[in-house]
Amino acid sequence: MSADETLNKEKLLGKSFIFEALDEQSRKDLTAFAHVKRYTSGQTVFEMGTPGQSMMAIAEGTVRVTMPTPNAREVTLAELKAGDVFGEIALLDGGERSANVHALTNCTLVVLERRALLEVLQRNPAFSVRLIELLCKRVRRSDERMMEIAFLGLPARLARLLLRLTTAAPASEEKPHSKLSLSQSEMASMIGNTRENVNRCLRKWQKADLIDLKDGWLILRDRGGLEAIAEDE
């Protein structure tokens, strides 16, 4: 391995918040057992049920995490971007992958092998805490998604999705985006419903001037109105 390759992997790992807790030696140890993989848009990173012996840190691009439902549809659990990590559950417990992951765009991933990562966890409490925080965040988000699907109607779920997506980084609650480029099929998979139902709801909102659909964009015109729908349980 060349010095340039090692430095590149260390730099890529440094983009993820959980690796900020590592000391220099631990980061070097992980880098020695890590390798870079690149995926093209649409390519499968791994599938649910396959063996999991590694965790991935996203250096560039976006991946989509999905899970199949009993009626053969897929529910989108998360879309992860540069700085995020995934694959940690199977890596920690040695079990099978708990979801499907596909590259949503061209991606560069740093792959961390289980043996090296567990060794670093055993001697680095701060890194262990970061990983626990990440797992807790994922569990909370998953619980929230399941609660929405189980107890909220389509309009409330869809409104919450639009509000959530327009405040996700690099936007914020204080400076939300006003438009999204997202297909109705993608929105349906994120809230556990069908494209046809999502289309009907969006057309109704368009007539009420809550949103607009133009040139492939979904434009939010009345955030207050959508917030009221999101809270209507």
Side-chain angles (χ1 to χ4, degrees):
M1 183 188 304
S2 70
D4 285 345
E5 288 176 327
T6 300
L7 288 172
N8 185 49
K9 285 189 292 186
E10 286 188 40
K11 182 179 179 180
L12 294 177
L13 283 180
K15 294 183 179 181
S16 178
F17 89 98
I18 69 169
F19 298 108
E20 293 173 356
L22 290 175
D23 56 49
E24 184 177 355
Q25 186 56 52
S26 294
R27 190 173 294 183
K28 288 183 179 298
D29 291 345
L30 273 184
T31 299
F33 288 94
H35 58 278
V36 176
K37 292 193 71 173
R38 292 178 172 82
Y39 293 85
T40 58
S41 176
Q43 191 173 358
T44 298
V45 179
F46 57 70
E47 293 183 337
M48 183 176 175
T50 56
Q53 294 294 320
S54 59
M55 183 173 80
M56 288 80 167
I58 304 173
E60 298 171 336
T62 303
V63 303
R64 176 172 290 166
V65 184
T66 65
M67 182 176 290
T69 64
N71 59 3
R73 290 204 306 264
E74 277 199 331
V75 174
T76 298
L77 302 179
E79 288 187 359
L80 306 176
K81 301 179 180 181
D84 290 327
V85 300
F86 62 94
E88 70 282 355
I89 295 177
L91 178 138
L92 290 173
D93 68 11
E96 298 176 340
R97 297 296 188 189
S98 59
N100 301 316
V101 177
H102 298 87
L104 196 57
T105 66
N106 293 341
C107 294
T108 300
L109 308 179
V110 181
V111 183
L112 303 159
E113 299 301 331
R114 184 172 192 264
R115 178 168 63 90
L117 192 62
L118 292 182
E119 288 178 0
V120 170
L121 285 171
Q122 288 172 358
R123 66 172 188 265
N124 197 311
F127 183 52
S128 300
V129 170
R130 285 291 182 94
L131 196 52
I132 290 170
E133 290 174 348
L134 173 69
L135 287 169
C136 290
K137 181 180 179 181
R138 297 274 170 84
V139 170
R140 287 178 185 274
R141 185 69 198 102
S142 179
D143 287 348
E144 183 181 339
R145 287 278 178 94
M146 293 305 103
M147 182 277 293
E148 291 177 354
I149 291 174
F151 298 109
L152 298 183
L154 170 63
R157 299 206 309 271
L158 185 55
R160 289 188 179 200
L161 174 67
L162 299 184
L163 294 169
R164 184 165 58 239
L165 292 177
T166 52
T167 55
S172 65
E173 294 282 351
E174 294 74 25
K175 294 183 178 180
H177 288 315
S178 61
K179 61 182 182 179
L180 296 167
S181 178
L182 199 65
S183 75
Q184 293 179 14
S185 294
E186 288 173 318
M187 285 184 266
S189 73
M190 290 180 178
I191 60 173
N193 213 284
T194 66
R195 187 199 66 79
E196 292 77 13
N197 287 338
V198 167
N199 178 266
R200 281 193 288 268
C201 189
L202 291 176
R203 293 298 177 185
K204 182 179 178 180
W205 288 354
Q206 187 177 29
K207 290 180 180 178
D209 208 29
L210 294 170
I211 66 161
D212 196 9
L213 302 171
K214 188 175 182 181
D215 299 328
W217 291 95
L218 189 154
I219 303 165
L220 277 65
R221 297 205 175 279
D222 184 355
R223 293 190 70 86
L226 291 173
E227 287 169 355
I229 294 172
E231 296 305 317
D232 183 11
E233 300 179 10

